[in-house]
Amino acid sequence: MKARTVLGAALGTVGGAVVGNRLLKRRAGELENPLPGIERTYRWRGIETTYTVAGDPNDPDMLLLHGIYAGASSNEFEPIVEQLAENYHVYAVDLPGFARSERPPLVYSASLYAEFVRDFVDDVTDDPIVVASSLTGAFAVDAADETEIERLVLICPTEETTDVRPWVRTLLRTPIVGTTLYNLLASKPSIRHFYDRDGYYDADRIDSDEVQYAWDSAHQPGSRYAPASFAAGTLDPEFDLATELAGLETPTTLVWGRDAALVPLREGRDLAEAADCDLVVIDYATQLPHAEHPAKFVEYLSAELPRAGTGE
């Protein structure tokens, strides 16, 4: 009798999880493009990726690459796209596995994203300035060694996020248990906690629409596969960022939030010194200074990039 009770409870839990997962999937709905400009697609190795173009094609190209986390998307740059498009031909991409791009059940890796950046730069843009956030900064550095990039702007870049735990990726990719755990990690409270802890200095600046869009993005079909690799630490590149950056001929600017905790400013100073890079520090900001202080970010960026607004 006891065994039947335990079995019944287990079946009920599994059944509840299945129903809950289905309801969340239905609630997300189709993801809209939040950025101003023209939406286009780039087919890469059979994956349909989506990007938005804004600005005058005669202006210098600028490629915006969002960070890696559950619910990540080009919406990260929504506060600055319109301003940047006044002086640049802006490309804002949803990376493979995220948002409006296709999200196939691949084993995502750092080399895959570096190769995507390299191919996108070569096939779509013309000697762009590449602005990359967090871990994606490492992918951009890897790509810059073999393609034509005018300049790198790296926002709180890192090459190490967590210990390598392949079993976490395997667990999160399982149909029922993995989907349930992922839905907990990608819940609205979890997303808001991420923005509050690591994204924004002032929690009052966190826009509820931004949280909603990240949640919708995180609950598109197949959205758990890329974050599963991230949570497992298997998206971390296998090189030392300072050494790799120091070996590049591409001019690089580092942008840091003064109060960043996940990747502290001292690491930014050490990286700038080791790689002989310019370092811009934005006060009252953490990991997302471009989202929290868009006007200040664009002002500092314009000062670092003399071509901005010159028509050169």
Side-chain angles (χ1 to χ4, degrees), residues 36-121:
I38 300 170
E39 184 171 273
R40 295 176 180 164
T41 59
Y42 169 60
R43 193 161 186 81
W44 182 75
R45 299 187 182 180
I47 304 171
E48 198 83 0
T49 61
T50 300
Y51 64 97
T52 301
V53 186
D56 188 337
N58 294 316
D59 286 337
D61 284 356
M62 177 176 285
L63 173 59
L64 307 179
L65 301 172
H66 63 76
I68 303 290
Y69 48 90
S73 73
S74 56
N75 188 49
E76 178 180 323
F77 293 103
E78 190 276 334
I80 63 174
V81 166
E82 196 165 357
Q83 294 179 67
L84 291 174
E86 294 176 4
N87 298 313
Y88 296 99
H89 190 216
V90 178
Y91 297 79
V93 180
D94 284 336
L95 293 171
F98 290 95
R100 290 174 61 79
S101 290
E102 287 186 342
R103 301 163 295 277
L106 304 176
V107 176
Y108 292 85
S109 65
S111 61
L112 179 144
Y113 282 113
E115 289 164 10
F116 170 80
V117 173
R118 188 177 297 120
D119 290 345
F120 190 93
V121 167

Side-chain angles (χ1 to χ4, degrees), residues 163-238:
D163 295 333
V164 177
R165 302 169 295 181
W167 62 268
V168 172
R169 180 182 61 205
T170 301
L171 179 62
L172 288 173
R173 289 170 66 97
T174 58
I176 297 175
V177 175
T179 301
T180 302
L181 290 174
Y182 173 75
N183 284 337
L184 291 173
L185 292 172
S187 66
K188 286 184 183 177
S190 293
I191 290 170
R192 187 172 184 87
H193 176 67
F194 161 73
Y195 284 136
D196 188 14
R197 183 193 63 187
D198 296 322
Y200 287 77
Y201 175 84
D202 183 357
D204 290 339
R205 292 181 179 270
I206 302 172
D207 188 351
S208 59
D209 290 341
E210 183 179 11
V211 175
Q212 180 65 51
Y213 192 88
W215 186 89
D216 288 339
S217 176
H219 290 86
Q220 298 300 303
S223 288
R224 76 181 189 277
Y225 297 121
S229 291
F230 173 66
T234 55
L235 288 188
D236 293 356
E238 296 181 357

